[in-house]
Amino acid sequence: RRAVGHTSMMKSPLVPLVSFLLFVWGGPSSSAAAFSHGATSFISPAVSVSQQHEIISRCGAVHHFSGKRTKELCKLRMTSTTVESDITIKSRRHALGSRRAATAFAGAGIFLCTLLKSNAAFAKTAATTVSTAAAPVILPPMHKILLACLLPTLLGFYKSEYGVSYGYGTAMAASSYLILASISQSAGLPLALSFASSTKPAAILSSLTATVNSLRTLLPASLPAVHAFALFFYGTRLDLFLLYRELCLPRFRAMRERIEDRAKKQGSRLKRTPFLLSCTFLYFCMVCPVLVTTKLCEGMSMSCAVGLGGGLASFLEQSLRLSVILALSGFLLGAVGDLNKSIGKMLKGEDTLITGGIFRFFRHPNYTGEVIGWSSSCLAAFLAVALKAVTDTSSNGGLHIWKSMAGFLSLSVMGVTGISFVLGTATAGLEFRQQEKYGDSEEYKQWVKKSWVGFKMGKQKKAESENIQETTEE
């Protein structure tokens, strides 16, 4: 408190950190703080009243002002009795303003730290509740998952490019949703939106809110649910991005028509059947890792203790959680890359070389993110089998688990190999085109030195580059 109040330290960037450390060191205020809507709206409804009092008491009084004025951030109660008699009125005012900024920063930090701690406890409680009340997960029949991969791909008969764009995204979203719905159903948290009873906006919003609340409870409590959600997020996000490009960017509509004209020159639409069936098979292979984790990791939550102690089983368990998080993170990286590039080209023009934002570190973040996502998803399947085998107490030491999952693991490897080849080749093609178009500029040369190209397969020739540009445009 003396450090925060001392005038000579007001300009120091360490003031917020010092005030935070002193507050944590000294402990929370003994007096109970009153609750306001501005504080409780950020706290999970599952957090108990005593936990909420702990959060607010650690932050001090939290004030909320309605209307057009912004919220005043958390203020700590600083009751130092030291009075600096040699400080002038001007310096006191300056100290007061700086103290308020410092305490607001520290209060926000304390609030977030305590909130994260309480939500972690809530996640652990939710995991226990769900795992206790959940029935065994019944996976969707394989023919339903195959149909979920096949039917969207048939769009390729209408437009050749749709089989590897909308068909790809919808197959991932539909198949993973079937698995996610089975997991949620077993946990007593149905996700299906009900439109049959009422089509009024209020009823639909209520159903949507219930679905979101079910996901909020389910995801921290179920590792397979997070794995399935990662693929669902990827497919849904890809479809929305493709729809935006087609509706808002004439260049991509022209590209689609060029692809369709080339496909028509190759003969009737039925000749596309082998290619579309191979795409269906690839999409099914890419979903197989989720089937493995759902079958073997039932009841495993995403919350865990920090550290890798506890032997091989503990190491495999935490590595499995990390691989699922990496899968979702990879897909998020791709989404951020697409958003970054779309906004940049919208503001600066279609022919602009985007080197800012996430592109400062990754030259092709969407391709790189996808490779990370699909590789981590496949790795999660192997870790799930290894963990189940290590913890198996039968006489054969878990060998039967590897044998029973060998088919799914083989398909998972085929899926990640196939999509990585496509993405690696596309990365090489885009790298070639960018070098051809911007290679003479100093900005491009500096960008290449400081950024990572990602996973690239071989060198790309010009003719091949043009074909890939129109089928896998970044």
Side-chain angles (χ1 to χ4, degrees):
R1 288 170 179 163
R2 288 174 181 262
V4 173
H6 202 281
T7 309
S8 61
M9 294 185 64
M10 283 299 101
K11 296 183 179 180
S12 172
L14 295 177
V15 169
L17 178 60
V18 170
S19 60
F20 175 79
L21 293 176
L22 288 175
F23 186 89
V24 174
W25 187 18
S29 173
S30 57
S31 60
F35 286 100
S36 67
H37 176 73
T40 56
S41 62
F42 293 101
I43 304 177
S44 171
V47 178
S48 64
V49 174
S50 61
Q51 288 175 321
Q52 293 182 9
H53 275 287
E54 179 186 358
I55 293 173
I56 301 302
S57 64
R58 282 181 175 270
C59 306
V62 180
H63 302 282
H64 177 75
F65 296 92
S66 59
K68 296 184 179 180
R69 299 183 63 86
T70 58
K71 295 178 181 179
E72 183 177 344
L73 297 177
C74 304
K75 291 184 178 180
L76 297 177
R77 294 178 179 176
M78 310 194 70
T79 58
S80 174
T81 57
T82 303
V83 178
E84 311 294 342
S85 58
D86 57 337
I87 302 177
T88 62
I89 295 177
K90 184 177 180 180
S91 62
R92 286 181 180 177
R93 290 178 178 175
H94 175 72
L96 179 60
S98 301
R99 185 186 297 114
R100 286 177 177 175
T103 53
F105 186 95
I110 297 168
F111 181 83
L112 289 175
C113 290
T114 314
L115 180 59
L116 287 174
K117 183 178 178 181
S118 65
N119 280 342
F122 162 66
K124 185 175 180 180
T125 304
T128 305
T129 304
V130 171
S131 61
T132 302
V137 177
I138 301 177
L139 286 171
M142 288 301 105
H143 70 272
K144 286 189 176 182
I145 297 180
L146 282 170
L147 283 176
C149 295
L150 173 63
L151 295 179
T153 312
L154 297 181
L155 289 170
F157 285 117
Y158 172 62
K159 295 287 185 182
S160 178
E161 187 262 344
Y162 283 177
V164 293
S165 57
Y166 292 109
Y168 175 34
T170 307
M172 294 297 100
S175 55
S176 59
Y177 178 80
L178 289 176
I179 302 172
L180 185 60
S182 297
I183 299 171
S184 64
Q185 189 69 29
S186 68
L189 299 168
L191 298 181
L193 296 175
S194 177
F195 299 103
S197 58
S198 177
T199 57
K200 294 182 179 180
I204 295 175
L205 181 61
S206 176
S207 181
L208 181 61
T209 303
T211 299
V212 172
N213 289 335
S214 296
L215 282 175
R216 287 183 59 191
T217 305
L218 179 64
L219 292 182
S222 173
L223 181 143
V226 177
H227 196 180
F229 178 78
L231 271 67
F232 177 75
F233 165 78
Y234 171 77
T236 305
R237 195 279 309 177
L238 179 61
D239 278 347
L240 293 175
F241 178 67
L242 292 170
L243 183 62
Y244 154 75
R245 290 200 315 184
E246 187 163 352
L247 295 179
C248 303
L249 304 177
R251 179 166 65 94
F252 287 99
R253 291 197 295 269
M255 179 196 71
R256 183 200 65 198
E257 294 304 323
R258 289 197 302 271
I259 296 174
E260 186 64 21
D261 291 341
R262 278 208 313 268
K264 289 179 179 179
K265 291 178 182 179
Q266 296 176 0
S268 66
R269 297 178 187 269
L270 291 178
K271 289 187 176 181
R272 305 175 188 176
T273 303
F275 173 72
L276 295 178
L277 289 178
S278 64
C279 289
T280 300
F281 177 70
L282 175 63
Y283 302 156
F284 176 76
C285 291
M286 295 164 67
V287 178
C288 283
V290 184
L291 295 174
V292 175
T293 55
T294 303
K295 188 175 182 63
L296 299 182
C297 301
E298 182 179 347
M300 182 181 296
S301 70
M302 291 299 296
S303 60
C304 61
V306 179
L308 295 177
L312 179 59
S314 178
F315 174 78
L316 290 173
E317 183 177 346
Q318 298 203 36
S319 298
L320 174 56
R321 291 189 177 96
L322 178 61
S323 63
V324 172
I325 293 173
L326 282 176
L328 181 57
S329 300
F331 297 142
L332 285 171
L333 174 61
V336 171
D338 284 335
L339 180 63
N340 193 165
K341 192 168 189 176
S342 298
I343 294 176
K345 287 186 175 291
M346 185 189 304
L347 297 176
K348 299 179 181 180
E350 285 294 329
D351 295 327
T352 304
L353 177 65
I354 305 300
T355 59
I358 196 66
F359 285 85
R360 181 181 178 183
F361 310 100
F362 302 94
R363 292 212 287 280
H364 315 292
N366 52 353
Y367 294 154
T368 303
E370 277 198 54
V371 173
I372 294 174
W374 294 121
S375 300
S376 301
S377 177
C378 181
L379 177 61
F382 279 87
L383 290 172
V385 177
L387 176 61
K388 193 70 173 179
V390 167
T391 55
D392 184 64
T393 57
S394 61
S395 58
N396 57 8
L399 183 60
H400 67 285
I401 297 176
W402 285 101
K403 290 181 177 179
S404 64
M405 292 289 108
F408 284 121
L409 292 179
S410 300
L411 293 174
S412 300
V413 172
M414 294 172 67
V416 71
T417 302
I419 193 63
S420 296
F421 174 79
V422 172
L423 295 170
T425 307
T427 300
L430 185 57
E431 188 76 4
F432 176 86
R433 293 192 303 276
Q434 287 182 341
Q435 185 177 10
E436 194 176 47
K437 188 173 183 179
Y438 308 106
D440 296 333
S441 67
E442 188 63 27
E443 180 186 13
Y444 176 79
K445 294 178 182 178
Q446 294 298 322
W447 180 49
V448 168
K449 290 180 181 179
K450 297 179 181 180
S451 58
W452 182 40
V453 65
F455 305 95
K456 184 176 69 170
M457 289 192 176
K459 295 183 178 180
Q460 200 68 39
K461 297 179 181 179
K462 185 173 183 179
E464 295 175 349
S465 173
E466 291 173 352
N467 291 335
I468 292 176
Q469 178 185 14
E470 295 185 344
T471 55
T472 57
E473 179 68 32
E474 186 171 27

